[in-house]
Amino acid sequence: MLRLTIALIFLCSSVVAQAEFKLYAEARMGAGGVRHSDLDFYPTFGSFSGGVFLFENIGIEGFIDTPLSAGTEGDFELNVLEAAGGAVRFQSPPQNGLQAYILIGFVNFKLEQKEEGGPTLREVYDGARLSVGVQQRLEWFPGFIFGAEYRNYYANSGITVDGISLGLRFEMP
């Protein structure tokens, strides 16, 4: 993961040296859904991302998720302890300040499952990330954008991890 982050930083810096770019940062809060062994858990999370547009409406970004609360089902508790990765962002041109977007990338995430009176299990997964969302530019606060997003982390493990979130983003003018 560290090598991937360093490569992303080098890619961003080389693009910055050759092109006009626009940086952005975003904070989100959401609820996830984790399906494991016919059990459904709904942990909550905070997410932070930052990126750069390489071309108009096409950018790359890195993100990190942090847990806010675990989901419970019967005697079990499950939490996404951490998630981090990168993605390519494709977004539509704005119409009346409204845009749609899709993120396609990779994710590394760690799940923790506890059973009442039993052991705590931790597993790390790698896989693909796919997110789709809509965002609205806030006319009275230039550069700020409010958005809603659905995301899915696919790790070919039999465990389904997805979520919905709301966020506020700032784009450099």
Side-chain angles (χ1 to χ4, degrees), residues 128-147:
R129 173 193 179 179
L130 177 65
S131 297
V132 294
V134 293
Q135 56 192 21
Q136 175 67 50
R137 293 184 181 278
L138 304 177
E139 291 180 21
W140 56 92
F141 293 114
F144 283 92
I145 300 166
F146 176 77

Side-chain angles (χ1 to χ4, degrees), residues 48-60:
F48 304 95
S49 62
V52 61
F53 284 103
L54 306 175
F55 305 100
E56 189 160 342
N57 295 317
I58 300 174
I60 57 173

Side-chain angles (χ1 to χ4, degrees), residues 5-171:
T5 304
I6 291 171
L8 189 62
I9 290 169
F10 281 127
L11 177 63
C12 286
S13 64
S14 69
V15 168
V16 166
Q18 298 177 11
E20 190 173 318
F21 65 96
K22 194 162 51 166
L23 297 172
Y24 62 89
E26 184 170 37
R28 302 187 145 277
M29 290 184 65
V34 180
R35 184 158 183 73
H36 173 44
S37 304
D38 295 328
L39 299 174
D40 292 314
F41 300 92
Y42 301 100
T44 60
F45 63 90
S47 185
F48 304 95
S49 62
V52 61
F53 284 103
L54 306 175
F55 305 100
E56 189 160 342
N57 295 317
I58 300 174
I60 57 173
E61 70 180 54
F63 74 94
I64 186 164
D65 294 348
T66 184
L68 296 176
S69 67
T72 58
E73 170 94 14
D75 292 340
F76 295 97
E77 180 179 283
L78 186 130
N79 210 352
V80 179
L81 291 181
E82 59 190 46
V88 177
R89 174 183 283 268
F90 300 97
Q91 62 186 32
S92 68
Q95 290 192 340
N96 298 322
L98 185 65
Q99 292 177 285
Y101 66 89
I102 185 169
L103 294 166
I104 302 170
F106 66 92
V107 64
N108 174 275
F109 61 97
K110 183 188 294 186
L111 297 179
E112 177 182 78
Q113 180 178 308
K114 297 177 184 177
E115 182 179 6
E116 190 176 307
T120 298
L121 305 171
R122 289 189 179 107
E123 289 288 329
V124 177
Y125 301 92
D126 290 306
R129 173 193 179 179
L130 177 65
S131 297
V132 294
V134 293
Q135 56 192 21
Q136 175 67 50
R137 293 184 181 278
L138 304 177
E139 291 180 21
W140 56 92
F141 293 114
F144 283 92
I145 300 166
F146 176 77
E149 178 181 289
Y150 167 78
R151 65 176 63 173
N152 185 284
Y153 297 161
Y154 178 76
N156 196 21
S157 63
I159 295 175
T160 303
V161 179
D162 62 3
I164 55 172
S165 64
L166 299 175
L168 189 61
R169 189 165 110 185
F170 178 75
E171 277 184 15

